[in-house]
Amino acid sequence: MTAIYLISACSKPTASAPEMPYTVLQPPGIVAAPFAPGLVSTNHLEVEGAFGHDMKTFYFLRQVLGEPSSNYVIHYRNGAWSEPEEITTGDGEVFISPDGITMHVGNHFRDRTNGGWSEPKSLGAPYDTIPIMRLTASRNGTYVFDERDETGTLRYSTVIDGERQSPQPFSEVINSGEWTAHPFIAPDERYLIWDSERDGGFGGGDLYISFRQDDGSWGPAINMGDRVNDEHDNTYGSVTPDGKYFLFQTIDLDSETPSANILWIDASFIESLKQ
């Protein structure tokens, strides 16, 4: 797998999540399409797309070939999306908590304030010694996160009686293959999505999903199929806060014309994977 790190079922929506005016962004159907062509998706390298809770902010990473990568945000205001604004987020990948009050970036976080976001704060031990790329959280406060290494280990940390528990690795059902990374835990914890290189895949990194079973365990790792996977690296999956669309990225840095693109697709296909 070519590491993009060098350039750096639908879940039930939260009741308070507002409706986002998708028509402005040319929403996709059952075939994956570039996200926000000309605004986010360009002829540069764009990855790590993440909506804010209010569906009116969108964060992503862009790199112009031969130059350093930068984080950007676009805002929906007065019936239109703004031009990308360069921002500083710190080392890690942006995830906004389901309640919208916390921005997780690697092993740091920022609190929502009246003026925007606070200065970065450490998650503390043991997270400050773990090379976290992406940390996502459920509505119950469960953390699911990865590590920046070749094999990759996904871990989780629950909250019991108000106390955060020590991180634990998932079983081999999840932690198999290589480059296992970029987890996304559904807000209601009904499923877990991640990417990995495994035998029987489509060629590069593929997106996988595991559904929570009736006994609380995680079901088998299911390849998400050719709607989102191909011979390139297909990674960084997530579902929009309203549960309608599935976001992911496809990366090909080995060709004469390297590409990295954020795509999205109607998320209704996720439920069929459970069968």
Side-chain angles (χ1 to χ4, degrees), residues 9-15 17 53 95-99 136-142 144 184-193 212 218 238-243:
C10 309
S11 180
K12 296 178 182 178
T14 304
H53 165 75
F95 174 79
I96 308 300
S97 62
D99 59 14
T136 63
S138 71
R139 284 197 291 268
N140 289 334
T142 297
V144 179
F184 172 79
I185 182 71
D188 56 9
E189 302 189 21
R190 287 200 305 125
Y191 57 77
L192 174 69
I193 294 171
R212 180 84 76 173
W218 289 101
S238 64
V239 175
T240 54
D242 62 2

Side-chain angles (χ1 to χ4, degrees), residues 71-92:
N71 288 95
Y72 291 86
V73 64
I74 57 174
H75 300 275
Y76 184 77
R77 302 186 181 110
N78 302 319
W81 285 89
S82 67
E83 289 297 314
E85 172 189 347
E86 188 171 352
I87 58 173
T88 300
T89 61
D91 187 19

Side-chain angles (χ1 to χ4, degrees), residues 148-166:
R148 191 187 302 269
D149 61 53
E150 182 174 352
T151 300
T153 299
L154 302 188
R155 301 192 214 181
Y156 65 93
S157 168
T158 57
V159 177
I160 300 177
D161 296 330
E163 296 291 330
R164 179 157 300 282
Q165 306 300 297
S166 297

Side-chain angles (χ1 to χ4, degrees), residues 168-182:
Q168 301 295 323
F170 285 94
S171 71
E172 290 187 0
V173 169
I174 309 298
N175 285 321
S176 296
E178 296 181 342
W179 299 107
T180 301
H182 309 122

Side-chain angles (χ1 to χ4, degrees), residues 6 24 36 41 46 48 52 67 70 95 118 120 139 152 164 174 203 261 272 275:
L6 296 180
V24 180
S41 296
E46 286 97 13
E48 299 176 11
E67 299 181 9
S70 298
F95 174 79
S118 70
R139 284 197 291 268
R164 179 157 300 282
I174 309 298
N261 301 287
S272 66
Q275 308 305 318

Side-chain angles (χ1 to χ4, degrees), residues 15-243:
S16 61
E19 183 73 12
M20 202 278 285
Y22 282 115
T23 53
V24 180
L25 294 178
Q26 304 173 35
I30 61 173
V31 177
F35 181 85
L39 185 64
V40 173
S41 296
T42 67
N43 59 352
H44 302 306
L45 307 179
E46 286 97 13
V47 293
E48 299 176 11
F51 268 111
H53 165 75
D54 61 1
M55 304 294 292
K56 294 182 179 180
T57 53
F58 186 80
Y59 301 87
F60 66 100
L61 183 75
R62 171 177 289 162
Q63 181 183 28
V64 178
L65 282 176
E67 299 181 9
S69 58
S70 298
N71 288 95
Y72 291 86
V73 64
I74 57 174
H75 300 275
Y76 184 77
R77 302 186 181 110
N78 302 319
W81 285 89
S82 67
E83 289 297 314
E85 172 189 347
E86 188 171 352
I87 58 173
T88 300
T89 61
D91 187 19
E93 300 163 357
V94 173
F95 174 79
I96 308 300
S97 62
D99 59 14
I101 65 175
T102 306
M103 173 191 284
H104 290 286
V105 184
N107 49 23
H108 291 75
F109 70 97
R110 297 171 187 250
D111 292 320
R112 173 75 70 181
T113 69
N114 291 334
W117 294 104
S118 70
E119 291 300 308
K121 305 174 183 180
S122 173
L123 287 174
Y127 305 96
D128 53 358
T129 61
I130 301 172
I132 299 173
M133 295 183 296
R134 190 188 202 189
L135 182 150
T136 63
S138 71
R139 284 197 291 268
N140 289 334
T142 297
Y143 289 167
V144 179
F145 58 94
D146 58 11
E147 294 186 42
R148 191 187 302 269
D149 61 53
E150 182 174 352
T151 300
T153 299
L154 302 188
R155 301 192 214 181
Y156 65 93
S157 168
T158 57
V159 177
I160 300 177
D161 296 330
E163 296 291 330
R164 179 157 300 282
Q165 306 300 297
S166 297
Q168 301 295 323
F170 285 94
S171 71
E172 290 187 0
V173 169
I174 309 298
N175 285 321
S176 296
E178 296 181 342
W179 299 107
T180 301
H182 309 122
F184 172 79
I185 182 71
D188 56 9
E189 302 189 21
R190 287 200 305 125
Y191 57 77
L192 174 69
I193 294 171
W194 72 99
D195 49 80
S196 185
E197 286 187 5
R198 293 183 174 217
D199 292 340
F202 284 77
D206 283 358
L207 288 154
Y208 290 85
I209 188 169
S210 172
F211 292 92
R212 180 84 76 173
Q213 306 299 291
D214 291 340
D215 64 1
S217 64
W218 289 101
I222 302 169
N223 189 297
M224 297 187 75
D226 60 6
R227 292 176 186 263
V228 297
N229 291 320
D230 59 19
E231 70 275 17
H232 303 304
D233 290 328
N234 304 281
T235 62
Y236 212 80
S238 64
V239 175
T240 54
D242 62 2

